[in-house]
Amino acid sequence: MALRENHVNYSVSNEDIKKLSEQAQKYAKKLNAVFEESHKVVIGQQDALQKILISIIADGHVLLESVPGLAKTLMVKTMAQIFNVDHVRIQFTPDLLPADILGTKIYKNASGSFVTQKGPIFHNFVLADEINRAPPKVQSALLEAMQERNVSIHGDTFELKKPFLVLATQNPIENEGTYKLPEAQVDRFALKILIDYPSKQEELEIIEKNSSEQEDKVNTIISPEEILEIQKFNEKIYADKVVTEYIADIVNATRTPKDYDLDLENMIEFGASPRASIWLMRTAKANAMLNGRGFIIPEDVKAVAHEVLRHRIILTFEAEANGITSDKVIDFVLEKINPP
């Protein structure tokens, strides 16, 4: 995962950078062990697993998009076992209610009082399967919990567990019986990851693994306390002013492409929100940590740009009609904006 380290001017001392990098290398060793351990169970999907790991480091939620059967549930279960946290899978359906996610109060005849029955949101890792099948009220309840990291149940406020990660999935094929996620809610996901089919070789491994009686198990590599420690350290990863400006230019180019000599005005209806800048920085820092560096470079930003931006750029009807995707728009922007 080595990346080049030149073309960046640092405004802090070399000694500080060295100390940050030494600590980053220690964490990187453990994090890369997590990556390797997950491959005992999950065949292929290296990029998706790496981006999920980045989201955990950056303390952000993930929107996964893929057809059914591409190991989304297995990924969450495996990561939860490696991190020794509890997890839950919620199948979203049109008849789901907010109380089914958050919990409710029930009356106990024996005591003559109401007690709080907490819902599945009170787990560390939550897989919201086919989130777009649930009505808007349920989607809003989940996304509010994601943002606030606490929930209110009949007037009482409860904090959610830490670490807390929501991985919501969408099926891009079926639209019948679904409720499109509002753009303002989609914006709350740090990353949107597209999961593709496995290669033929990976398919053969999947067949062999699922045809044998042997069940592969993963070991715990990192504790929940260590996850919180790594998330806190991620905030300390150094970002030079020129890299911060690079991030700002990328995001701003999606809003005012003409200012950057980009002919995209007929393609972009609305550009990325300020959350894009925040998550580009946080996830770029996480990518730097995975590479054992205590500072970020432009390649870290590029490594996460598509996942951070693709769900935050709203295309025009003309662009969609011509087969232009948000990923193509991001490619145009990254090609035009010169890294420092």
Side-chain angles (χ1 to χ4, degrees):
M1 294 185 183
L3 296 171
R4 64 180 175 87
E5 301 176 9
N6 54 354
H7 304 307
V8 181
N9 298 316
Y10 300 106
S11 59
V12 297
S13 70
N14 288 333
E15 189 60 33
D16 289 337
I17 293 288
K18 185 180 177 182
K19 287 179 181 177
L20 286 171
S21 291
E22 286 173 354
Q23 186 61 50
Q25 286 165 14
K26 291 178 183 177
Y27 288 137
K29 189 175 180 181
K30 278 204 163 189
L31 291 167
N32 282 292
V34 168
F35 191 64
E36 293 300 321
E37 190 72 15
S38 65
H39 284 297
K40 287 183 179 179
V41 177
V42 182
I43 305 299
Q45 307 298 355
Q46 293 191 20
D47 187 62
L49 283 167
Q50 186 174 352
K51 293 304 191 304
I52 290 173
L53 190 54
I54 284 173
S55 72
I56 294 170
I57 298 168
D59 196 18
H61 306 293
V62 177
L63 182 61
L64 296 169
E65 188 171 289
S66 78
V67 297
L70 294 186
K72 297 184 292 293
T73 304
L74 183 61
M75 286 183 200
V76 178
K77 181 182 177 182
T78 301
M79 283 293 187
Q81 289 172 344
I82 293 173
F83 287 118
N84 195 28
V85 296
D86 56 20
H87 71 282
V88 67
R89 174 182 176 273
I90 309 171
Q91 182 63 52
F92 278 50
T93 56
D95 60 347
L96 208 64
L97 298 173
D100 296 326
I101 305 294
L102 307 180
T104 187
K105 286 192 174 182
I106 57 175
Y107 183 74
K108 292 283 188 179
N109 285 323
S111 60
S113 60
F114 286 91
V115 295
T116 301
Q117 183 73 47
K118 292 182 178 180
I121 197 72
F122 290 92
H123 284 75
N124 294 112
F125 288 5
V126 178
L127 176 63
D129 210 4
E130 296 189 284
I131 186 174
N132 54 332
R133 289 202 175 278
K137 268 190 177 182
V138 176
Q139 294 175 7
S140 296
L142 175 67
L143 292 162
E144 184 181 358
M146 289 163 50
Q147 184 73 18
E148 305 300 331
R149 304 298 174 106
N150 59 53
V151 298
S152 294
I153 302 175
H154 295 280
D156 293 331
T157 301
F158 300 89
E159 283 193 15
L160 297 175
K161 287 186 173 183
K162 295 180 181 180
F164 177 62
L165 173 72
V166 172
L167 291 100
T169 71
Q170 283 191 136
N171 181 344
I173 299 174
E174 296 179 83
N175 291 318
E176 188 176 344
T178 64
Y179 301 83
K180 188 177 183 296
L181 283 174
E183 302 301 338
Q185 294 182 348
V186 172
D187 192 36
R188 298 187 188 188
F189 289 96
L191 304 177
K192 181 180 180 180
I193 302 171
L194 305 181
I195 302 179
D196 204 354
Y197 288 109
S199 66
K200 182 181 177 181
Q201 183 56 44
E202 290 167 349
E203 191 93 29
L204 289 170
E205 290 182 50
I206 292 168
I207 294 169
E208 290 174 6
K209 184 177 284 290
N210 286 274
S211 299
S212 65
E213 294 182 358
Q214 184 178 352
E215 185 179 349
D216 291 321
K217 293 183 179 179
V218 293
N219 298 310
T220 298
I221 303 292
I222 297 179
S223 68
E225 292 73 26
E226 286 176 304
I227 299 175
L228 298 176
E229 188 181 303
I230 289 170
Q231 289 175 344
K232 193 171 182 181
F233 177 74
N234 190 59
E235 298 173 5
K236 298 178 183 177
I237 298 288
Y238 177 68
D240 193 79
K241 185 178 179 182
V242 293
V243 181
T244 304
E245 288 178 353
Y246 178 56
I247 290 173
D249 280 336
I250 290 172
V251 175
N252 201 43
T254 68
R255 304 169 190 162
T256 56
K258 195 174 180 181
D259 293 349
Y260 296 85
D261 198 25
L262 279 162
D263 188 20
L264 298 175
E265 288 187 327
N266 294 328
M267 297 183 188
I268 302 175
E269 187 76 33
F270 296 101
S273 73
R275 281 197 184 101
S277 301
I278 294 168
W279 287 112
L280 270 176
M281 177 64 78
R282 289 182 182 178
T283 54
K285 287 183 175 185
N287 194 74
M289 193 195 303
L290 277 177
N291 286 278
R293 279 182 283 99
F295 56 93
I296 66 173
I297 58 178
E299 280 80 353
D300 292 315
V301 179
K302 288 181 179 180
V304 296
H306 287 81
E307 286 76 17
V308 171
L309 294 171
R310 64 166 54 109
H311 55 301
R312 294 185 163 95
I313 297 174
I314 301 174
L315 302 177
T316 62
F317 175 78
E318 181 183 345
E320 292 179 345
N322 290 323
I324 302 295
T325 64
S326 57
D327 279 350
K328 285 183 180 179
V329 170
I330 296 164
D331 287 336
F332 295 145
V333 171
L334 293 178
E335 286 170 12
K336 192 67 177 180
I337 308 296
N338 293 322

